[in-house]
Amino acid sequence: MNRLLAGSADVVRTFPSLYAPVARELEEVERILAEAIRSANPAVAELVEHVAHFRGKRLRPALLLLTGRACGRLVPAHAVLAAVLELVHTATLVHDDVLDGAAVRRHVPTINAGWGNHNSILFGDYLFTHAFHLATTLGDIRACRIIGETTNRVCEGELRQGLESGNLALSEAEYLDIIDAKTAELIACCCHLGALFSGAEPEVVARLTRYGRWLGIAFQIADDLLDLVGDEEATGKSLGTDVEQQKMTLPLIHLMATAPAPVAARVRQILSGPGCPKREALRPYLTEHGSIDYAYRRAEDLAARARAELTCLPPSPCRTVLELAADGVVHRQN
């Protein structure tokens, strides 16, 4: 785990400060977000106020704005699109916490912990519908189509992950396809829309979309590593939920594929058995058999692929931030 947090620690700690080239536009995104989900109903307003605590790195809206500016210019639609995709992302977090039975996010209780699963699911739906209503205000069918296709694939990826819970024979290729859909698709969409609405050439749009996809897959591998070996105080959220639900992630897939038969049998026993903190029980095996390092290297390789796609852009402060983001998503504690 030390390796996961090494190297780019300064980048990680100051991640939001990297957004200086689009700071003014991000303020506009925050204004649009607040206006879009404001409610006159006190009970709903309480939920809206609470979910504001989930505000994280704002990676997705920042990527949309940074890619747009790196391609030459930002237009008013960029801030609206960034708000739309942040609403979609927040809705998925609210639903994920229900699926995972998570109690804490960003150091505060999850919606489901405070208001129950029923209200949490409905509130996630509330965020989704407000996102799509906001998208329609642009009057641009391209944005609605692209965002619709993206959310379809995100939901399919989440569904596939749930259906594969308990499948201890899940392959690395299947895992990568799942996280490409459930996580990378939304990040790729941000980069796609950022470049498209700046008027970039089709080849540049395609390369920046690929940048977002490689970045997103690297991000999720790092997230899955944190779930296994991260610190709850540092991440500010419940950890170990994947292993408790027998969701196979890359370190576990590598361990099952490479460990001697007796070790693999013991790992299956830990994953399938009741009780015992599974994270703690698995950690020595993951470390001893190089599975943590393997997953970390795969995340680094994907981040390097993401950086390589940025050669289509001229040098600029925004391109530099996009390059640093590829390190930041891998070397992070939350």
Side-chain angles (χ1 to χ4, degrees):
M1 185 57 185
N2 290 338
R3 188 178 177 189
L4 177 65
L5 304 179
S8 297
D10 290 338
V11 172
V12 178
R13 281 195 295 270
T14 60
F15 217 115
S17 70
L18 295 174
Y19 303 156
V22 292
R24 182 171 58 83
E25 290 80 8
L26 278 171
E27 289 179 5
E28 176 64 4
V29 172
E30 295 298 331
R31 186 196 68 77
I32 295 169
L33 279 169
E35 181 65 28
I37 59 174
R38 179 176 293 138
S39 175
N41 181 280
V44 177
E46 185 180 7
L47 285 169
V48 169
E49 183 178 351
H50 185 79
V51 84
H53 294 297
F54 292 4
R55 186 184 186 279
K57 294 179 282 294
R58 289 295 198 244
L59 176 66
R60 290 151 191 83
L63 287 173
L64 193 151
L65 297 171
L66 288 164
T67 51
R69 176 147 288 162
C71 289
R73 67 191 180 108
L74 290 176
V75 297
H78 278 103
V80 176
L81 290 166
V84 168
L85 290 172
E86 186 63 12
L87 281 174
V88 169
H89 172 59
T90 305
T92 66
L93 295 182
V94 171
H95 283 168
D96 282 352
D97 287 339
V98 174
L99 295 172
D100 295 340
V104 177
R105 180 174 291 279
R106 296 290 170 192
H107 303 282
V108 298
T110 56
I111 299 292
N112 50 294
W115 285 267
N117 287 347
H118 179 83
N119 290 322
S120 190
I121 291 168
L122 290 174
F123 184 62
D125 293 345
Y126 176 90
L127 296 174
F128 268 125
T129 58
H130 279 65
F132 282 101
H133 176 263
L134 182 58
T136 66
T137 65
L138 290 173
D140 191 318
I141 195 169
R142 295 177 304 169
C144 293
R145 177 179 55 79
I146 292 166
I147 294 168
E149 290 171 350
T150 292
T151 52
N152 285 347
R153 189 152 189 260
V154 169
C155 291
E156 184 174 301
E158 290 284 3
L159 182 59
R160 280 190 61 195
Q161 184 180 56
L163 292 171
E164 293 290 0
S165 292
N167 177 11
L168 305 189
L170 190 74
S171 71
E172 181 172 329
E174 290 169 324
Y175 161 80
L176 291 173
D177 194 43
I178 288 170
I179 66 171
D180 178 18
K182 83 182 193 78
T183 300
E185 184 70 21
L186 190 60
I187 294 175
C189 180
C190 291
C191 298
H192 182 174
L193 290 173
L196 180 68
F197 276 75
S198 74
E201 293 295 322
E203 176 57 24
V204 174
V205 175
R207 290 193 65 179
L208 289 176
T209 303
R210 288 197 296 271
Y211 161 83
R213 190 166 305 285
W214 305 137
L215 187 78
I217 297 173
F219 180 98
Q220 187 59 56
I221 292 173
D223 214 52
D224 290 341
L225 279 163
L226 288 171
D227 192 68
L228 283 166
V229 295
D231 177 76
E232 287 196 344
E233 181 61 30
T235 61
K237 64 180 181 179
S238 302
L239 298 179
T241 56
D242 286 342
V243 288
E244 292 300 332
Q245 297 176 43
Q246 299 179 45
K247 293 179 181 177
M248 295 295 285
T249 56
L250 188 56
L252 288 169
I253 291 168
H254 175 268
L255 180 61
M256 293 294 287
T258 60
V263 173
R266 175 57 184 149
V267 170
R268 279 193 294 272
Q269 184 181 42
I270 293 170
L271 289 169
S272 303
C276 90
K278 293 181 171 57
R279 247 174 34 117
E280 289 72 12
L282 290 167
R283 193 171 300 163
Y285 299 107
L286 291 164
T287 302
E288 180 183 350
H289 295 279
S291 299
I292 298 298
D293 283 344
Y294 174 79
Y296 176 77
R297 288 194 304 272
R298 290 288 281 130
E300 279 199 319
D301 289 345
L302 287 157
R305 292 179 73 173
R307 286 193 299 272
E309 297 290 354
L310 296 175
T311 56
C312 66
L313 296 172
S316 71
C318 286
R319 173 177 160 174
T320 298
V321 174
L322 292 170
E323 291 168 344
L324 289 170
D327 286 327
V329 300
V330 176
H331 302 272
R332 60 193 174 90
Q333 300 182 59
N334 56 43

